[in-house]
Amino acid sequence: MYFTDRTDAGRQLAEVLAGTVPKDAVVLGLPRGGVPVAAEVADALGAPLDVCLVRKLGVPYQPEVAMGAIGEDGVRVVNDHVLRQSGASEGDLAEAERRERAVLAERTRRYRGAREPVDIRGRTAVVVDDGFATGATARAACQVVRARGAARIVLAVPVAPRGWAEGLTGVADETYCVREPEDFYAIGQFYTDFGQTPDEEVVAALRLRRGGPVADPEVRIPLGGTETGGRLAVPEGATGIVLFAHGSGSSRHSPRNQAVAETLHRAGLGTLLFDLLTEEEAVDRSNVFDTPLLAGRLRQADAWLARRPEAAGLRTGYFGASTGAAAALWAAAEPGSTVAAVVSRGGRPDLAEERLGAVTAPTLLIVGGADPLVLDLNRQAARQLRCEHRLVTVPDAGHLFEEPGALAEVGRLAADWFAERL
Protein backbone atom coordinates (compact mmCIF):
# COMPACT_ATOMS: atom_id res chain seq x y z
CA MET A 1 0.00 0.00 0.00
CA TYR A 2 1.31 3.44 -0.92
CA PHE A 3 -1.37 5.58 0.76
CA THR A 4 -3.29 5.39 4.02
CA ASP A 5 -6.29 7.19 2.53
CA ARG A 6 -7.08 9.98 0.10
CA THR A 7 -5.95 12.67 2.55
CA ASP A 8 -2.55 11.03 2.83
CA ALA A 9 -2.42 10.67 -0.96
CA GLY A 10 -3.21 14.37 -1.35
CA ARG A 11 -0.40 15.38 0.98
CA GLN A 12 2.09 13.22 -0.89
CA LEU A 13 0.91 14.60 -4.22
CA ALA A 14 1.22 18.16 -2.89
CA GLU A 15 4.88 17.49 -2.12
CA VAL A 16 5.47 16.44 -5.72
CA LEU A 17 3.72 19.57 -7.02
CA ALA A 18 5.50 22.02 -4.68
CA GLY A 19 7.18 24.76 -6.68
CA THR A 20 5.82 23.58 -10.06
CA VAL A 21 2.69 25.74 -10.43
CA PRO A 22 2.22 29.53 -10.33
CA LYS A 23 0.34 31.45 -7.66
CA ASP A 24 -2.66 32.00 -9.94
CA ALA A 25 -3.40 28.25 -10.08
CA VAL A 26 -6.85 26.79 -9.44
CA VAL A 27 -7.13 23.21 -8.16
CA LEU A 28 -10.00 21.19 -9.62
CA GLY A 29 -10.95 17.90 -7.98
CA LEU A 30 -12.86 15.15 -9.79
CA PRO A 31 -15.86 14.14 -7.67
CA ARG A 32 -16.11 12.31 -5.60
CA GLY A 33 -12.88 10.57 -4.70
CA GLY A 34 -10.61 13.18 -6.24
CA VAL A 35 -11.91 16.04 -4.10
CA PRO A 36 -10.32 15.07 -0.74
CA VAL A 37 -7.02 14.57 -2.63
CA ALA A 38 -7.42 17.94 -4.34
CA ALA A 39 -8.29 19.65 -1.05
CA GLU A 40 -4.89 18.78 0.39
CA VAL A 41 -3.18 19.99 -2.79
CA ALA A 42 -5.15 23.27 -2.71
CA ASP A 43 -4.22 23.89 0.92
CA ALA A 44 -0.53 23.22 0.27
CA LEU A 45 -0.46 25.48 -2.80
CA GLY A 46 -2.61 28.19 -1.22
CA ALA A 47 -4.93 27.91 -4.23
CA PRO A 48 -8.74 27.98 -4.51
CA LEU A 49 -10.53 24.64 -4.83
CA ASP A 50 -13.39 23.79 -7.16
CA VAL A 51 -14.78 20.66 -8.78
CA CYS A 52 -14.52 19.61 -12.39
CA LEU A 53 -17.76 17.75 -12.96
CA VAL A 54 -17.44 14.74 -15.23
CA ARG A 55 -19.18 11.37 -15.38
CA LYS A 56 -17.93 8.02 -16.64
CA LEU A 57 -20.00 6.24 -19.29
CA GLY A 58 -19.87 2.64 -18.14
CA VAL A 59 -20.14 -0.41 -20.37
CA PRO A 60 -23.56 -2.14 -19.97
CA TYR A 61 -23.35 -4.98 -17.44
CA GLN A 62 -19.79 -3.86 -16.59
CA PRO A 63 -20.22 -0.23 -15.45
CA GLU A 64 -16.78 0.01 -13.83
CA VAL A 65 -15.24 -0.13 -17.33
CA ALA A 66 -15.46 3.24 -19.09
CA MET A 67 -16.43 3.34 -22.74
CA GLY A 68 -16.34 7.12 -22.49
CA ALA A 69 -17.04 10.09 -20.26
CA ILE A 70 -18.96 13.36 -20.29
CA GLY A 71 -18.35 16.70 -18.65
CA GLU A 72 -19.72 20.19 -18.27
CA ASP A 73 -20.26 22.41 -21.31
CA GLY A 74 -21.39 19.42 -23.38
CA VAL A 75 -17.99 17.69 -23.49
CA ARG A 76 -18.09 14.02 -24.53
CA VAL A 77 -15.12 11.64 -24.85
CA VAL A 78 -15.45 8.14 -26.32
CA ASN A 79 -12.96 5.30 -25.91
CA ASP A 80 -13.35 3.62 -29.29
CA HIS A 81 -11.20 0.64 -28.29
CA VAL A 82 -13.36 -0.19 -25.25
CA LEU A 83 -16.51 0.43 -27.27
CA ARG A 84 -15.44 -2.13 -29.89
CA GLN A 85 -14.16 -4.70 -27.40
CA SER A 86 -17.30 -4.55 -25.24
CA GLY A 87 -19.74 -4.86 -28.09
CA ALA A 88 -21.70 -1.86 -26.82
CA SER A 89 -23.81 -0.10 -29.43
CA GLU A 90 -24.27 3.58 -30.19
CA GLY A 91 -27.66 3.21 -28.53
CA ASP A 92 -26.00 1.93 -25.36
CA LEU A 93 -23.66 4.91 -25.44
CA ALA A 94 -26.53 7.36 -25.95
CA GLU A 95 -28.54 5.84 -23.10
CA ALA A 96 -25.55 5.98 -20.76
CA GLU A 97 -24.99 9.63 -21.69
CA ARG A 98 -28.64 10.53 -21.08
CA ARG A 99 -28.53 8.90 -17.66
CA GLU A 100 -25.21 10.45 -16.67
CA ARG A 101 -26.17 13.93 -17.89
CA ALA A 102 -29.03 13.89 -15.38
CA VAL A 103 -26.61 12.89 -12.60
CA LEU A 104 -24.18 15.61 -13.71
CA ALA A 105 -26.88 18.29 -13.49
CA GLU A 106 -27.97 17.10 -10.04
CA ARG A 107 -24.40 17.08 -8.72
CA THR A 108 -23.82 20.57 -10.06
CA ARG A 109 -26.74 21.78 -7.96
CA ARG A 110 -25.59 19.80 -4.93
CA TYR A 111 -21.94 20.78 -4.96
CA ARG A 112 -22.13 24.36 -6.14
CA GLY A 113 -25.63 25.49 -5.28
CA ALA A 114 -26.06 29.01 -6.63
CA ARG A 115 -22.32 29.67 -6.83
CA GLU A 116 -20.61 30.05 -10.18
CA PRO A 117 -17.56 27.91 -10.96
CA VAL A 118 -14.20 29.46 -10.11
CA ASP A 119 -13.08 31.51 -13.10
CA ILE A 120 -10.11 29.71 -14.67
CA ARG A 121 -9.73 31.81 -17.82
CA GLY A 122 -6.07 32.53 -18.46
CA ARG A 123 -5.00 30.63 -15.34
CA THR A 124 -3.27 27.33 -14.60
CA ALA A 125 -5.76 24.56 -13.82
CA VAL A 126 -4.49 21.66 -11.72
CA VAL A 127 -6.84 18.73 -12.37
CA VAL A 128 -6.64 16.16 -9.56
CA ASP A 129 -8.12 12.67 -9.15
CA ASP A 130 -7.41 9.88 -6.66
CA GLY A 131 -5.75 7.82 -9.40
CA PHE A 132 -5.59 7.17 -13.12
CA ALA A 133 -6.83 3.90 -14.64
CA THR A 134 -8.43 4.00 -18.11
CA GLY A 135 -8.13 7.78 -18.28
CA ALA A 136 -11.54 8.47 -19.81
CA THR A 137 -12.69 10.66 -16.95
CA ALA A 138 -9.38 12.55 -16.76
CA ARG A 139 -9.44 13.21 -20.50
CA ALA A 140 -12.99 14.58 -20.27
CA ALA A 141 -11.97 16.76 -17.33
CA CYS A 142 -9.05 18.23 -19.23
CA GLN A 143 -11.27 18.97 -22.23
CA VAL A 144 -13.81 20.69 -19.95
CA VAL A 145 -11.05 22.79 -18.43
CA ARG A 146 -9.63 23.67 -21.86
CA ALA A 147 -13.08 24.75 -23.05
CA ARG A 148 -13.43 27.01 -20.00
CA GLY A 149 -10.34 28.96 -21.03
CA ALA A 150 -7.50 27.59 -18.89
CA ALA A 151 -4.12 28.76 -20.16
CA ARG A 152 -2.29 25.70 -18.85
CA ILE A 153 -3.53 22.30 -17.69
CA VAL A 154 -1.70 20.19 -15.12
CA LEU A 155 -3.05 16.67 -14.57
CA ALA A 156 -1.94 15.27 -11.21
CA VAL A 157 -2.75 11.94 -9.55
CA PRO A 158 -1.29 9.94 -6.66
CA VAL A 159 -1.00 6.68 -8.62
CA ALA A 160 -1.14 5.54 -12.23
CA PRO A 161 0.21 2.63 -14.32
CA ARG A 162 3.72 2.87 -15.72
CA GLY A 163 3.78 4.96 -18.90
CA TRP A 164 0.37 6.49 -18.19
CA ALA A 165 1.32 9.95 -19.45
CA GLU A 166 2.43 8.82 -22.92
CA GLY A 167 -1.08 8.95 -24.33
CA LEU A 168 -1.94 12.36 -22.87
CA THR A 169 -0.02 14.54 -25.30
CA GLY A 170 -2.29 17.39 -26.30
CA VAL A 171 -4.72 16.58 -23.47
CA ALA A 172 -2.72 17.98 -20.54
CA ASP A 173 0.26 20.32 -20.74
CA GLU A 174 1.99 18.63 -17.81
CA THR A 175 1.41 15.46 -15.80
CA TYR A 176 2.53 14.54 -12.28
CA CYS A 177 2.23 11.31 -10.32
CA VAL A 178 3.54 10.08 -6.98
CA ARG A 179 3.75 6.38 -7.87
CA GLU A 180 3.78 4.52 -11.21
CA PRO A 181 3.77 0.79 -10.40
CA GLU A 182 4.15 -1.83 -13.11
CA ASP A 183 1.65 -4.23 -11.52
CA PHE A 184 -1.43 -2.02 -11.75
CA TYR A 185 -4.89 -3.59 -11.62
CA ALA A 186 -7.05 -0.99 -9.89
CA ILE A 187 -6.56 2.29 -8.08
CA GLY A 188 -7.92 0.93 -4.80
CA GLN A 189 -5.16 -1.68 -4.49
CA PHE A 190 -2.73 1.07 -3.47
CA TYR A 191 -4.88 2.51 -0.64
CA THR A 192 -5.39 1.07 2.83
CA ASP A 193 -8.73 2.90 3.00
CA PHE A 194 -10.42 3.40 -0.36
CA GLY A 195 -14.00 3.70 0.85
CA GLN A 196 -16.48 5.70 -1.17
CA THR A 197 -16.33 9.45 -0.62
CA PRO A 198 -19.78 10.71 0.45
CA ASP A 199 -21.31 13.82 -1.10
CA GLU A 200 -21.27 15.51 2.30
CA GLU A 201 -17.47 15.31 2.36
CA VAL A 202 -17.26 16.91 -1.08
CA VAL A 203 -19.59 19.76 -0.10
CA ALA A 204 -17.70 20.36 3.16
CA ALA A 205 -14.32 20.46 1.39
CA LEU A 206 -15.61 23.01 -1.13
CA ARG A 207 -17.26 25.11 1.57
CA LEU A 208 -14.02 25.36 3.52
CA ARG A 209 -12.01 26.43 0.48
CA ARG A 210 -14.30 28.48 -1.71
CA GLY A 211 -13.06 31.97 -0.80
CA GLY A 212 -11.52 34.15 -3.50
CA PRO A 213 -8.75 36.73 -3.14
CA VAL A 214 -8.95 38.60 0.16
CA ALA A 215 -8.59 42.35 0.63
CA ASP A 216 -7.17 42.91 4.13
CA PRO A 217 -6.94 46.64 4.86
CA GLU A 218 -6.18 48.22 8.22
CA VAL A 219 -9.17 50.15 9.51
CA ARG A 220 -9.94 52.45 12.43
CA ILE A 221 -13.17 51.78 14.30
CA PRO A 222 -14.85 54.46 16.42
CA LEU A 223 -16.05 52.96 19.71
CA GLY A 224 -17.85 55.54 21.77
CA GLY A 225 -15.33 58.09 22.96
CA THR A 226 -12.32 56.14 21.71
CA GLU A 227 -11.01 54.44 18.59
CA THR A 228 -9.28 51.12 18.00
CA GLY A 229 -7.50 49.40 15.14
CA GLY A 230 -8.78 46.49 13.12
CA ARG A 231 -8.34 44.41 9.98
CA LEU A 232 -11.31 43.96 7.66
CA ALA A 233 -10.83 41.07 5.22
CA VAL A 234 -13.59 40.22 2.74
CA PRO A 235 -13.10 37.52 0.07
CA GLU A 236 -14.62 37.99 -3.36
CA GLY A 237 -18.18 36.67 -3.29
CA ALA A 238 -18.28 36.52 0.53
CA THR A 239 -21.46 35.07 2.02
CA GLY A 240 -21.17 36.76 5.42
CA ILE A 241 -18.78 38.55 7.81
CA VAL A 242 -17.62 37.36 11.24
CA LEU A 243 -16.57 39.84 13.95
CA PHE A 244 -13.92 38.55 16.38
CA ALA A 245 -14.26 39.44 20.05
CA HIS A 246 -11.19 38.93 22.24
CA GLY A 247 -11.28 40.28 25.77
CA SER A 248 -7.57 40.95 26.18
CA GLY A 249 -7.61 43.65 23.52
CA SER A 250 -5.35 41.73 21.11
CA SER A 251 -7.88 40.32 18.67
CA ARG A 252 -6.25 41.54 15.45
CA HIS A 253 -2.78 40.44 16.62
CA SER A 254 -3.77 37.07 18.09
CA PRO A 255 -2.15 34.31 15.98
CA ARG A 256 -4.94 31.96 17.01
CA ASN A 257 -7.63 34.35 15.81
CA GLN A 258 -5.68 34.96 12.61
CA ALA A 259 -5.45 31.22 11.95
CA VAL A 260 -9.21 30.78 12.41
CA ALA A 261 -9.85 33.84 10.22
CA GLU A 262 -7.82 32.29 7.39
CA THR A 263 -10.00 29.19 7.55
CA LEU A 264 -13.12 31.35 7.39
CA HIS A 265 -11.72 33.18 4.36
CA ARG A 266 -11.28 29.88 2.54
CA ALA A 267 -14.92 29.15 3.35
CA GLY A 268 -15.98 32.38 1.63
CA LEU A 269 -16.53 34.39 4.83
CA GLY A 270 -15.25 37.85 5.61
CA THR A 271 -13.73 38.73 8.98
CA LEU A 272 -13.24 41.80 11.14
CA LEU A 273 -10.45 41.36 13.67
CA PHE A 274 -10.31 44.38 15.96
CA ASP A 275 -9.35 45.45 19.44
CA LEU A 276 -12.21 45.75 21.91
CA LEU A 277 -9.91 47.71 24.23
CA THR A 278 -7.20 50.27 23.62
CA GLU A 279 -3.69 49.44 24.84
CA GLU A 280 -4.18 51.72 27.82
CA GLU A 281 -7.53 50.17 28.73
CA ALA A 282 -6.17 46.64 28.44
CA VAL A 283 -3.58 47.36 31.15
CA ASP A 284 -6.44 47.48 33.67
CA ARG A 285 -7.37 43.80 33.96
CA SER A 286 -10.81 44.67 35.28
CA ASN A 287 -11.73 45.90 31.78
CA VAL A 288 -10.97 42.46 30.37
CA PHE A 289 -13.76 41.04 32.55
CA ASP A 290 -16.20 43.93 32.05
CA THR A 291 -18.69 42.04 29.91
CA PRO A 292 -21.17 44.95 29.39
CA LEU A 293 -18.29 47.20 28.26
CA LEU A 294 -16.93 44.64 25.82
CA ALA A 295 -20.39 43.77 24.49
CA GLY A 296 -21.15 47.44 23.92
CA ARG A 297 -17.94 47.83 21.93
CA LEU A 298 -18.81 44.77 19.86
CA ARG A 299 -22.24 46.18 19.05
CA GLN A 300 -20.69 49.52 18.06
CA ALA A 301 -18.26 47.76 15.75
CA ASP A 302 -21.15 45.81 14.22
CA ALA A 303 -23.04 49.05 13.58
CA TRP A 304 -19.90 50.60 12.02
CA LEU A 305 -19.43 47.55 9.81
CA ALA A 306 -23.04 47.72 8.58
CA ARG A 307 -22.25 51.10 7.02
CA ARG A 308 -19.24 49.79 5.10
CA PRO A 309 -19.71 49.02 1.38
CA GLU A 310 -17.90 45.68 1.83
CA ALA A 311 -20.68 44.51 4.16
CA ALA A 312 -23.62 45.50 1.99
CA GLY A 313 -26.25 42.77 2.11
CA LEU A 314 -24.13 40.43 4.25
CA ARG A 315 -25.22 38.90 7.55
CA THR A 316 -22.85 38.97 10.51
CA GLY A 317 -21.67 36.43 13.05
CA TYR A 318 -19.63 36.73 16.26
CA PHE A 319 -16.58 34.63 17.11
CA GLY A 320 -15.60 35.06 20.76
CA ALA A 321 -12.59 33.74 22.65
CA SER A 322 -12.20 33.66 26.45
CA THR A 323 -14.00 36.69 27.94
CA GLY A 324 -14.74 37.85 24.40
CA ALA A 325 -17.15 34.93 24.12
CA ALA A 326 -19.14 36.37 27.02
CA ALA A 327 -19.21 39.72 25.22
CA ALA A 328 -20.44 38.03 22.03
CA LEU A 329 -23.28 36.28 23.85
CA TRP A 330 -24.20 39.41 25.81
CA ALA A 331 -24.33 41.47 22.60
CA ALA A 332 -26.32 38.76 20.83
CA ALA A 333 -28.92 38.89 23.59
CA GLU A 334 -29.54 42.63 23.17
CA PRO A 335 -33.01 43.56 21.87
CA GLY A 336 -32.88 44.17 18.14
CA SER A 337 -29.67 42.22 17.62
CA THR A 338 -29.35 40.95 14.05
CA VAL A 339 -26.34 38.68 14.57
CA ALA A 340 -27.00 35.43 12.72
CA ALA A 341 -24.67 33.04 14.57
CA VAL A 342 -22.21 32.90 17.48
CA VAL A 343 -19.15 30.69 18.02
CA SER A 344 -17.25 30.53 21.31
CA ARG A 345 -13.68 29.15 21.51
CA GLY A 346 -12.58 28.27 25.02
CA GLY A 347 -15.05 30.89 26.16
CA ARG A 348 -16.35 32.12 29.48
CA PRO A 349 -20.10 32.15 28.83
CA ASP A 350 -20.67 32.19 32.60
CA LEU A 351 -19.73 35.91 32.51
CA ALA A 352 -22.90 36.49 30.46
CA GLU A 353 -25.03 34.16 32.58
CA GLU A 354 -27.83 36.64 33.16
CA ARG A 355 -28.29 37.12 29.41
CA LEU A 356 -27.94 33.55 28.12
CA GLY A 357 -31.66 32.83 28.10
CA ALA A 358 -32.26 35.80 25.78
CA VAL A 359 -29.79 34.73 23.07
CA THR A 360 -31.62 33.79 19.86
CA ALA A 361 -28.69 33.36 17.46
CA PRO A 362 -27.56 29.74 16.89
CA THR A 363 -24.58 29.24 19.20
CA LEU A 364 -21.64 26.82 18.99
CA LEU A 365 -19.51 26.30 22.10
CA ILE A 366 -16.05 24.81 21.40
CA VAL A 367 -13.99 23.68 24.38
CA GLY A 368 -10.76 21.73 24.76
CA GLY A 369 -11.15 18.29 26.30
CA ALA A 370 -8.14 18.98 28.52
CA ASP A 371 -9.65 22.21 29.88
CA PRO A 372 -11.95 20.76 32.58
CA LEU A 373 -12.86 23.99 34.39
CA VAL A 374 -13.92 25.84 31.24
CA LEU A 375 -15.62 22.71 29.93
CA ASP A 376 -17.76 22.57 33.07
CA LEU A 377 -18.64 26.27 32.75
CA ASN A 378 -19.71 25.72 29.14
CA ARG A 379 -21.82 22.71 30.05
CA GLN A 380 -23.65 24.82 32.60
CA ALA A 381 -24.11 27.62 30.06
CA ALA A 382 -25.45 25.21 27.44
CA ARG A 383 -28.22 24.19 29.82
CA GLN A 384 -29.31 27.84 30.07
CA LEU A 385 -29.38 28.58 26.35
CA ARG A 386 -32.83 28.50 24.75
CA CYS A 387 -31.64 28.98 21.18
CA GLU A 388 -30.26 26.39 18.78
CA HIS A 389 -26.93 25.42 20.29
CA ARG A 390 -24.23 22.76 20.36
CA LEU A 391 -21.30 22.02 22.66
CA VAL A 392 -18.29 20.40 20.95
CA THR A 393 -15.23 19.11 22.77
CA VAL A 394 -11.92 18.93 20.91
CA PRO A 395 -10.21 15.84 22.39
CA ASP A 396 -6.95 16.40 24.32
CA ALA A 397 -6.93 20.15 23.55
CA GLY A 398 -6.06 22.65 26.29
CA HIS A 399 -7.41 26.13 26.83
CA LEU A 400 -5.31 27.70 24.07
CA PHE A 401 -5.73 24.84 21.56
CA GLU A 402 -1.97 24.67 20.99
CA GLU A 403 -1.90 20.91 20.43
CA PRO A 404 -1.25 19.67 16.85
CA GLY A 405 -4.40 19.93 14.76
CA ALA A 406 -6.52 21.41 17.57
CA LEU A 407 -6.77 24.95 16.19
CA ALA A 408 -7.40 23.63 12.68
CA GLU A 409 -10.36 21.69 14.09
CA VAL A 410 -11.66 24.88 15.72
CA GLY A 411 -11.46 26.65 12.36
CA ARG A 412 -13.25 23.83 10.57
CA LEU A 413 -16.04 23.70 13.15
CA ALA A 414 -16.48 27.49 13.10
CA ALA A 415 -16.47 27.66 9.30
CA ASP A 416 -19.14 24.98 9.05
CA TRP A 417 -21.31 26.67 11.69
CA PHE A 418 -21.10 30.13 10.12
CA ALA A 419 -21.31 29.01 6.48
CA GLU A 420 -24.61 27.24 7.10
CA ARG A 421 -26.15 30.20 8.94
CA LEU A 422 -24.85 33.38 7.35
Side-chain angles (χ1 to χ4, degrees):
M1 300 293 182
Y2 295 143
F3 314 109
T4 303
D5 54 18
R6 291 182 176 88
T7 297
D8 176 44
R11 289 170 182 163
Q12 293 190 43
L13 183 58
E15 292 178 3
V16 172
L17 290 169
T20 67
V21 295
K23 293 183 178 180
D24 74 337
V26 177
V27 178
L28 303 170
L30 299 186
R32 290 178 288 188
V35 174
V37 181
E40 296 299 322
V41 172
D43 286 351
L45 299 180
L49 173 69
D50 200 357
V51 287
C52 184
L53 291 161
V54 294
R55 291 290 295 173
K56 180 169 63 178
L57 302 179
V59 171
Y61 310 111
Q62 203 173 2
E64 70 278 3
V65 177
M67 56 182 171
I70 58 167
E72 296 176 282
D73 304 321
V75 171
R76 179 190 192 222
V77 179
V78 177
N79 188 322
D80 292 323
H81 174 73
V82 173
L83 197 62
R84 288 194 302 270
Q85 291 294 317
S86 67
S89 66
E90 286 294 329
D92 293 329
L93 189 63
E95 172 58 24
E97 181 173 1
R98 182 199 63 76
R99 183 175 60 251
E100 296 303 334
R101 285 279 175 206
V103 176
L104 194 70
E106 191 275 333
R107 286 197 173 175
T108 299
R109 291 190 296 270
R110 182 180 304 176
Y111 296 153
R112 289 211 183 100
R115 291 185 302 109
E116 293 295 320
V118 175
D119 188 358
I120 61 175
R121 289 173 295 179
R123 303 170 73 174
T124 295
V126 183
V127 179
V128 177
D129 204 356
D130 54 11
F132 183 99
T134 66
T137 304
R139 288 173 181 274
C142 290
Q143 291 197 15
V144 167
V145 169
R146 190 79 70 185
R148 288 174 55 195
R152 174 184 171 204
I153 298 175
V154 175
L155 178 59
V157 294
V159 63
R162 184 69 56 86
W164 72 289
E166 295 174 2
L168 294 173
T169 302
V171 176
D173 299 302
E174 296 176 41
T175 57
Y176 293 90
C177 187
V178 180
R179 298 277 192 166
E180 296 183 28
E182 290 188 9
D183 296 327
F184 187 105
Y185 302 103
I187 296 170
Q189 78 185 92
F190 304 104
Y191 285 80
T192 302
D193 178 5
F194 198 64
Q196 189 176 65
T197 301
D199 283 331
E200 293 76 14
E201 184 175 342
V202 174
V203 172
L206 294 171
R207 179 189 297 146
L208 284 172
R209 298 167 179 88
R210 69 186 180 194
V214 179
D216 189 15
E218 289 277 355
V219 294
R220 301 297 298 179
I221 305 170
L223 300 176
T226 188
E227 183 182 74
T228 63
R231 298 187 72 90
L232 176 60
V234 184
E236 292 181 2
T239 56
I241 301 181
V242 178
L243 291 82
F244 281 61
H246 198 287
S248 67
S250 62
S251 181
R252 65 184 169 133
H253 299 301
S254 164
R256 286 177 289 278
N257 283 346
Q258 291 173 357
V260 173
E262 289 177 4
T263 302
L264 299 186
H265 297 161
R266 292 197 298 270
L269 295 163
T271 59
L272 175 60
L273 276 66
F274 70 105
D275 305 331
L276 285 169
L277 300 171
T278 64
E279 292 183 6
E280 295 77 15
E281 290 172 332
V283 172
D284 183 350
R285 291 295 294 172
S286 66
N287 288 329
V288 174
F289 292 88
D290 189 338
T291 303
L293 169 66
L294 300 179
R297 296 277 176 88
L298 179 57
R299 292 266 288 174
Q300 289 171 336
D302 199 348
W304 170 86
L305 179 63
R307 297 190 293 271
R308 298 278 299 193
E310 302 94 326
L314 298 180
R315 305 176 77 188
T316 57
Y318 295 159
F319 180 93
S322 191
T323 58
L329 290 164
W330 188 289
E334 290 283 354
S337 172
T338 58
V339 64
V342 176
V343 173
S344 163
R345 171 184 65 81
R348 290 289 308 277
D350 56 298
L351 297 176
E353 183 176 10
E354 62 190 86
R355 294 292 189 92
L356 294 179
V359 176
T360 58
T363 298
L364 175 64
L365 306 172
I366 307 173
V367 188
D371 191 11
L373 176 59
V374 173
L375 179 56
D376 183 59
L377 293 173
N378 277 260
R379 284 171 174 160
Q380 294 179 43
R383 288 194 287 268
Q384 298 179 62
L385 289 170
R386 298 292 177 265
C387 58
E388 176 193 356
H389 64 276
R390 183 183 174 201
L391 172 60
V392 176
T393 302
V394 178
D396 303 320
H399 185 64
L400 298 180
F401 296 87
E402 296 176 309
E403 296 73 16
L407 200 58
E409 179 66 4
V410 171
R412 184 191 67 79
L413 290 166
D416 279 347
W417 191 262
F418 286 127
E420 291 178 2
R421 293 162 176 84
L422 298 188

